[in-house]
Amino acid sequence: MNNHMNGEVNCNYITAYNGTMDMKKLQQSLNQCNKEHHEESKLPALETSYTNILRELGENPEREGLLKTPLRAAKAMQYFTKGYQETIHDILNNAIFDENHDEIVIVKDIDVFSLCEHHLVPFFGKVHIGYLPNKKVVGLSKLARIVEIYSRRLQGKVIPIYTC
């Protein structure tokens, strides 16, 4: 019950919601629980796929060192591609503000990690963002979070550029 008082929601208690939390936080919590359930429901198939990969490589997935590897690999792949479960709307959360500012805003050296869509090989680097606010600004930390969303998806030649 204390979780409700702090504004935190445990997925198991959402059905027992007692009306003390604002509806926006409740909706965000429901969305998060749905995403977590969606990811968990896909773990067995991913785990089986990694077991098959090990077997096809000539490994014995039942040997001691590999017993939990398929599950760990499945969870890692879900983490590396978590951007498919997130949206800019989730991150921005209406945090675009009217400002009398129209000069370029630049954020440099945002760390990025992603996977190549052709070989599923990881790569990393830095991203730089520049935008003209046109009297609307977004917090600098939100830009890094947006980069995180798109970098946690499989990448072709370049990370896509989106405008809001």
Side-chain angles (χ1 to χ4, degrees):
M1 220 35 163
N2 288 339
N3 284 348
H4 289 287
M5 300 303 177
N6 295 333
E8 299 172 12
V9 174
N10 179 328
C11 295
N12 298 326
Y13 296 107
I14 286 180
T15 55
Y17 170 66
N18 63 9
T20 61
M21 181 185 301
D22 71 41
M23 290 306 291
K24 188 174 184 179
K25 283 191 184 243
L26 179 61
Q27 186 60 49
Q28 288 171 343
S29 297
L30 285 168
N31 289 343
Q32 183 62 34
C33 289
N34 286 338
K35 289 175 188 176
E36 289 171 9
H37 175 71
H38 177 73
E39 287 180 18
E40 274 187 34
S41 69
K42 291 188 172 196
L43 268 176
L46 285 170
E47 183 178 7
T48 298
S49 296
Y50 279 108
T51 300
N52 291 333
I53 288 170
L54 289 171
R55 213 173 260 119
E56 292 302 318
L57 290 173
E59 269 292 352
N60 175 7
E62 282 80 43
R63 78 173 168 83
E64 186 177 357
L66 293 176
L67 284 176
K68 295 185 180 179
T69 297
L71 179 59
R72 286 191 296 263
K75 287 180 178 181
M77 186 56 76
Q78 282 186 331
Y79 176 74
F80 294 150
T81 60
K82 69 180 183 165
Y84 291 112
Q85 309 306 317
E86 300 171 326
T87 68
I88 290 178
H89 180 75
D90 294 337
I91 298 303
L92 289 181
N93 201 19
N94 298 321
I96 299 174
F97 304 102
D98 293 324
E99 282 290 327
N100 191 18
H101 186 76
D102 58 3
E103 294 180 26
I104 193 165
V105 175
I106 298 174
V107 181
K108 292 176 150 185
D109 296 326
I110 300 171
D111 289 321
V112 65
F113 170 91
S114 196
L115 296 172
C116 159
E117 72 181 8
H118 303 291
H119 305 97
L120 299 181
V121 175
F123 66 91
F124 59 92
K126 301 275 186 188
V127 171
H128 313 297
I129 297 175
Y131 77 97
L132 293 169
N134 195 24
K135 309 290 186 213
K136 301 265 187 201
V137 296
V138 64
L140 300 181
S141 66
K142 299 290 187 183
L143 296 175
R145 301 270 316 274
I146 291 169
V147 168
E148 175 80 3
I149 288 173
Y150 288 104
S151 68
R152 295 301 177 159
R153 297 177 183 186
L154 302 179
Q155 304 301 319
K157 294 179 183 174
V158 296
I159 294 175
I161 298 174
Y162 296 90
T163 58
C164 299

